[in-house]
Amino acid sequence: MAAAEGIYTRISVLGDKEYKKALSDIGRQLTVLNTGMKASQSAFEGQEDSMEALQDKAAALEKIYKAQAEKVKLIAEQLNKAKAQYGDNSKQADNLRIALNRAESAMNETETQIAQNEKALEELETATGEAEKGHEKLAAAMSKLGSLAAGALKAGLTAAG
């Protein structure tokens, strides 16, 4: 029976190694994505609310959110394993619950940033559309004014001649 317990422990440890490696890989990926977004957004300094900056930020946030969702899924799976192996109220399960809460919190913050960025994009698109309509009205008014001025000039030249 002792040999079977040794094998069980070894399998459990190998599972922990795989989990820790996967978690480390996701952590590294998140660091790369977060620093990449900061570097990219720094290129838009002074133009943070431009369409290009907001679109770039949206793409970066989506990648970050997907990596965070992967992390949440990985920790949740490990939590289920720990509860089955050590018990629902074990130290291992509690530590994983804490890690899961933190990962979910980070993911929720990113989701909030995505929503705020989408709102800013929508507002910018609306403002751009309104500006285009205003520009079209101004162009039409200028054309009409040009026609009136030409007519007045022609009438003035005819009356003088």
Side-chain angles (χ1 to χ4, degrees):
M1 191 86 151
E5 288 176 353
I7 292 171
Y8 179 77
T9 303
R10 186 169 180 198
I11 291 170
S12 172
V13 171
L14 289 176
D16 287 344
K17 278 185 179 180
E18 292 166 356
Y19 164 74
K20 287 178 181 177
K21 182 184 180 329
L23 194 60
S24 175
D25 290 347
I26 293 171
R28 188 176 58 253
Q29 180 185 12
L30 282 167
T31 300
V32 169
L33 291 171
N34 282 314
T35 57
M37 183 176 81
K38 285 180 184 177
S40 177
Q41 289 297 296
S42 71
F44 293 106
E45 186 145 347
Q47 301 174 359
E48 295 88 357
D49 295 331
S50 71
M51 184 69 73
E52 229 178 86
L54 292 172
Q55 289 172 336
D56 182 73
K57 187 175 183 179
L61 286 170
E62 285 297 327
K63 289 176 186 174
I64 290 168
Y65 183 84
K66 285 179 183 176
Q68 288 171 332
E70 245 182 88
K71 185 176 181 177
V72 165
K73 180 181 175 191
L74 179 68
I75 295 170
E77 289 171 357
Q78 194 68 12
L79 173 59
N80 288 333
K81 288 179 186 177
K83 288 189 318 190
Q85 184 174 352
Y86 302 110
D88 196 30
N89 295 319
S90 66
K91 179 181 175 182
Q92 294 85 348
D94 285 345
N95 287 338
L96 286 165
R97 275 190 199 91
I98 292 167
L100 182 60
N101 290 339
R102 288 179 178 155
E104 287 176 337
S105 177
M107 190 174 73
N108 292 339
E109 288 174 18
T110 301
E111 192 172 33
T112 298
Q113 288 180 359
I114 289 170
Q116 290 170 345
N117 196 66
E118 286 175 355
K119 183 179 178 188
L121 269 169
E122 289 172 8
E123 288 172 356
L124 184 58
E125 288 171 357
T126 299
T128 301
E130 289 174 6
E132 287 175 3
K133 288 177 186 175
H135 180 66
E136 290 170 4
K137 287 181 180 179
L138 179 61
M142 293 297 286
S143 177
K144 187 174 181 179
L145 182 60
S147 296
L148 290 173
L153 182 61
K154 186 175 180 181
L157 290 176
T158 304

